[in-house]
């Protein structure tokens, strides 16, 4: 049988009424999970494993596994879409990969363009999901062979490139962006060292042994930071809110978004294939690329629709790309795919090279259901754009308490610790003060996410080379990433200096 025959069989499985119902329930729960900050796809999928097991208890083993994984995967990519809703409307990232969407999405909402922002997020997510699935069908095997050749040195250099690239997210100062990146890396070191077991920067406070929760910091910096700005600077005067104009994007919006959606889909998919890289890195990279190639880079962060289209496409494409190493190699590339892998193993189905041969119903049924699920997401969310967009018209005296309640509930539901609520409040104050003084918040968040990955991969690389740092220059891919990273920092500095010299000469 060829690929098309297997895919046809997959659609026959996915279009069974109970599997359609599971796909619908999955994307519906996933969207809700994405909207609520702090829960995220990983927690959502983990919580639903016992529920799906009881729901499919009457089915044969392979059919039960197929139905369960269809529902759980629906939660995964549904959450990728849902995170954009509160990012755009309330400046509250639902999960880590939606942090970048706040930069332009929230500004569009404040300008009365919440409708087009939400519509483009939905269209971009659908287009990226469609691209990722076609690529998954055609390229799964060859791409998984390439991804497995990436060693720890290559990953270290790729992550370092990601950190250097955040200079592209700088406001007026690259120096301030790099300061925030380093601060994010420092926060990432708090907790128990996984290798030596030594407590770092915990000051003998037991609650710090597990480190700082990423989403507590992200929600505090962005959501509560914005709340403090509204209260302290009184920019909500007498409940004035911006009027919502068009709900659907204009022809110009679609034209401006087409390129970012296409580039975000491709970039997100290929980053998603790399184990450990994930949707967060994909969304940051796609945003940075769009800002670099834009004719008006200064418009980013002020409501440029490309700043919504690119990261939203990238994080959805990355979730499709992450399925490649999971299904073809049995290597989970993220926490969520690790939980999906655990769910499959629970049904005695081992992901890996033999999955497509031994359990084609599960593998191809899942791929077909992801296509159906993406269509369901579009159908489900496009009519709700008008409803969602109305949220931004809620008077500030009601909206501010709602944002605070969502933030507190989201953080406490996951951590269930008073310490995290205190940290949330502290990060809210810090977010307000940093933003007020033109310190960009996104680099801190990326430093916090990539810090543990950078450290782990550096240690693994140095272990294989007996402590020789030359391994990072000896590996061709690693060397390439490092050269690009250095150029990314140096070229803007040299161009700026050259521009100043030209101005001085002209004045002389």
């Amino acid at each position: 049988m060829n690929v098309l025959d297997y895919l046809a069989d997959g659609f026959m499985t996915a279009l069974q009424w109970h599997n359609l119902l599971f796909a619908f329930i999955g994307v519906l729960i996933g969207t809700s999970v994405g909207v609520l900050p702090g829960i995220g796809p990983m927690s959502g999928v983990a919580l639903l494993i016992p529920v799906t097991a009881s729901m499919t208890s009457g089915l044969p083993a392979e059919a039960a596994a197929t139905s369960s994984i269809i529902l759980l995967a629906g939660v995964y990519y549904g959450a990728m879409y849902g995170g954009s809703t509160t990012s755009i409307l309330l400046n509250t990232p639902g999960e880590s990969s939606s942090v970048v969407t706040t930069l332009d999405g929230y500004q569009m909402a404040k300008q009365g363009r919440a409708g087009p922002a939400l519509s483009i997020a939905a269209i971009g997510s659908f287009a990226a999901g469609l691209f990722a699935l076609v690529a998954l069908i055609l390229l799964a095997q060859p791409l998984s062979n390439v991804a497995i050749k990436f060693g720890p040195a290559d990953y270290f250099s790729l992550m370092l490139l990601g950190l250097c690239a955040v200079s592209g997210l700088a406001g007026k100062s690259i120096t301030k962006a790099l300061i925030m990146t380093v601060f994010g890396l420092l926060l990432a070191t708090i907790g128990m060292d996984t290798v030596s077991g030594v407590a770092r920067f915990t000051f003998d406070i037991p609650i710090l042994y597990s480190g700082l929760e990423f989403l507590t910091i992200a929600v505090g910096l962005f959501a509560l930071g914005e709340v403090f700005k509204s209260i302290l600077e009184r920019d909500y005067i007498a409940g004035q809110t911006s009027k919502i104009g068009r709900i659907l994007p204009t022809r110009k919006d679609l034209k401006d978004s087409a390129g970012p959606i296409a580039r975000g889909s491709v970039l997100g998919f290929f980053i998603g294939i790399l184990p450990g890289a994930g949707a967060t890195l994909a969304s940051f990279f796609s945003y940075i690329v769009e800002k670099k190639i834009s004719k008006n880079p200064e418009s980013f962060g002020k409501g440029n629709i490309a700043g919504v289209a690119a990261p939203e496409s990238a994080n959805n494409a990355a979730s499709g790309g992450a399925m490649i190493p999971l299904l073809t190699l049995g290597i989970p590339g993220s926490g969520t795919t690790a939980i999906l892998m655990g769910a499959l193993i629970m049904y005695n189905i081992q992901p890996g090279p033999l999955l497509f041969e031994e359990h084609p119903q599960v593998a191809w049924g899942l791929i077909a259901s992801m296509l159906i699920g993406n269509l369901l997401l579009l159908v489900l969310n496009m009519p709700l754009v008008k409803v969602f967009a109305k949220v931004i018209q809620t008077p500030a005296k009601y909206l501010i308490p709602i944002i605070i309640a969502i933030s507190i509930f989201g953080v406490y539901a996951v951590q269930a610790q008073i310490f995290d609520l205190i940290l949330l409040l502290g990060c809210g104050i810090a977010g307000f003060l940093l933003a007020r003084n033109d310190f960009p918040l996104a680099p801190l968040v990326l430093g916090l996410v990539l810090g543990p990955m950078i450290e782990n991969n550096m240690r693994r690389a140095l272990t294989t080379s007996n402590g020789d740092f030359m391994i990072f220059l000896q590996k061709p891919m690693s060397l390439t990433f490092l050269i690009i990273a250095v150029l990314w920092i140096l070229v803007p500095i040299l161009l700026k200096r050259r521009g100043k010299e030209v101005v001085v000469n002209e004045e002389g």
Side-chain angles (χ1 to χ4, degrees):
M1 287 176 77
N2 61 26
V3 169
L4 289 176
D5 292 331
Y6 279 124
L7 189 61
D9 286 349
F11 272 108
M12 285 178 69
T13 301
L15 288 170
Q16 291 172 5
W17 73 267
H18 60 278
N19 285 335
L20 279 173
L21 181 63
F22 280 137
F24 177 75
I25 293 170
V27 296
L28 187 65
I29 293 172
T31 306
S32 308
V33 160
V35 165
L36 287 171
I39 297 178
M42 194 158 72
S43 306
V45 171
L47 288 168
L48 283 169
I49 286 176
V51 178
T52 57
S54 60
M55 285 170 73
T56 58
S57 56
L59 297 171
E62 192 151 307
T66 307
S67 298
S68 292
I69 204 70
I70 281 172
L71 190 149
L72 295 173
V75 175
Y76 178 30
Y77 54 85
M80 292 299 170
Y81 172 79
S84 66
T85 305
T86 47
S87 290
I88 291 167
L89 297 177
L90 307 175
N91 203 35
T92 308
E95 34 87 38
S96 58
S97 60
S98 299
V99 167
V100 197
T101 311
T102 62
L103 302 178
D104 282 276
Y106 184 63
Q107 293 303 319
M108 286 184 69
K110 284 172 76 175
Q111 294 160 17
R113 300 187 65 221
L118 289 163
S119 298
I120 286 297
I123 293 164
S125 297
F126 175 71
L130 202 61
F131 170 82
L133 284 165
V134 172
L136 174 63
I137 293 161
L138 299 176
L139 304 172
Q141 203 58 52
L143 286 177
S144 60
N145 293 336
V146 172
I148 204 168
K149 288 177 183 173
F150 263 62
D154 302 317
Y155 278 117
F156 169 80
S157 300
L158 176 65
M159 304 292 174
L160 208 61
L161 170 58
L163 288 182
C164 290
V166 293
S167 61
L169 295 177
K172 295 168 186 172
S173 168
I174 291 175
T175 309
K176 285 183 176 178
L178 293 175
I179 287 170
M180 294 298 280
T181 306
V182 172
F183 188 49
L185 289 172
L186 288 172
L187 290 177
T189 61
I190 294 172
M192 295 286 283
D193 179 11
T194 51
V195 177
S196 65
V198 173
R200 301 184 299 191
F201 306 110
T202 57
F203 307 102
D204 293 326
I205 301 169
I207 207 160
L208 289 177
Y209 289 162
S210 58
L212 300 178
E213 178 62 32
F214 162 77
L215 266 159
T216 304
I217 292 173
V219 171
L221 289 173
F222 287 93
L224 286 196
E226 189 63 33
V227 165
F228 286 130
K229 180 176 179 287
S230 297
I231 294 168
L232 296 172
E233 295 186 356
R234 299 179 66 82
D235 64 355
Y236 56 86
I237 304 300
Q240 290 285 317
T241 54
S242 53
K243 288 242 161 84
I244 301 296
R246 276 180 76 98
I247 294 297
L248 294 174
T250 61
R251 190 172 292 179
K252 185 179 183 301
D253 287 336
L254 291 169
K255 187 181 174 185
D256 291 345
S257 303
I261 287 171
R263 286 185 289 271
S265 300
V266 175
L267 189 65
F269 177 75
F270 285 105
I271 290 176
I273 293 165
L274 302 173
T280 306
L281 188 61
S283 60
F284 270 94
F285 259 128
S286 64
Y287 186 90
I288 290 160
V289 166
E290 290 308 316
K291 189 173 179 182
K292 279 283 177 190
I293 64 174
S294 173
K295 292 176 182 175
N296 301 306
E298 65 282 350
S299 65
F300 279 76
K302 296 175 184 174
N304 190 324
I305 201 160
V308 174
E312 279 306 305
S313 304
N315 69 32
N316 277 269
S319 65
M323 288 293 178
I324 286 184
L326 172 68
L327 298 177
T328 60
L329 301 173
I331 299 172
S334 65
T336 313
T337 49
I339 293 168
L340 290 174
M341 182 174 171
L344 285 170
I345 292 169
M346 192 174 78
Y347 289 99
N348 293 320
I349 291 170
Q350 179 64 51
L354 298 176
L355 176 69
F356 285 82
E357 289 178 27
E358 293 179 352
H359 305 284
Q361 180 190 346
V362 177
W364 291 102
L366 171 62
I367 290 169
S369 79
M370 286 174 75
L371 190 64
I372 293 165
N374 269 286
L375 191 60
L376 285 172
L377 268 174
L378 190 69
V379 171
L380 190 69
N381 285 294
M382 283 303 284
L384 293 176
V385 164
K386 198 165 189 174
V387 178
F388 287 143
K390 290 286 180 188
V391 171
I392 202 71
Q393 283 189 307
T394 308
K397 62 182 178 181
Y398 304 122
L399 192 59
I400 287 173
I402 289 169
I403 296 171
I404 294 170
I406 289 173
S407 302
I408 290 172
F409 171 76
V411 167
Y412 193 76
V414 177
Q415 294 300 106
Q417 292 173 338
I418 298 298
F419 170 77
D420 278 85
L421 298 182
I422 296 167
L423 179 63
L424 180 75
L425 183 64
C427 288
I429 296 166
F432 164 67
L433 294 172
L434 289 166
R436 195 179 193 183
N437 291 286
D438 285 324
F439 282 90
L441 302 176
L444 184 152
V445 171
L446 189 63
L448 189 62
V449 172
L450 294 186
M453 299 183 204
I454 288 173
E455 186 180 7
N456 289 339
N457 283 298
M458 185 177 81
R459 276 182 161 163
R460 285 170 57 209
L462 291 174
T463 302
T464 58
S465 69
N466 291 320
D468 184 5
F469 279 89
M470 288 303 292
I471 189 172
F472 299 111
L473 302 179
Q474 289 163 353
K475 300 279 184 182
M477 285 303 297
S478 175
L479 180 62
T480 304
F481 290 141
L482 288 175
I483 290 169
I484 296 169
V486 171
L487 290 174
W488 206 298
I489 297 292
L490 286 181
V491 169
I493 293 170
L494 293 173
L495 288 174
K496 204 171 182 180
R497 184 169 290 180
R498 190 178 168 192
K500 282 180 181 175
E501 285 174 4
V502 169
V503 170
V504 168
N505 290 335
E506 285 176 354
E507 288 176 352

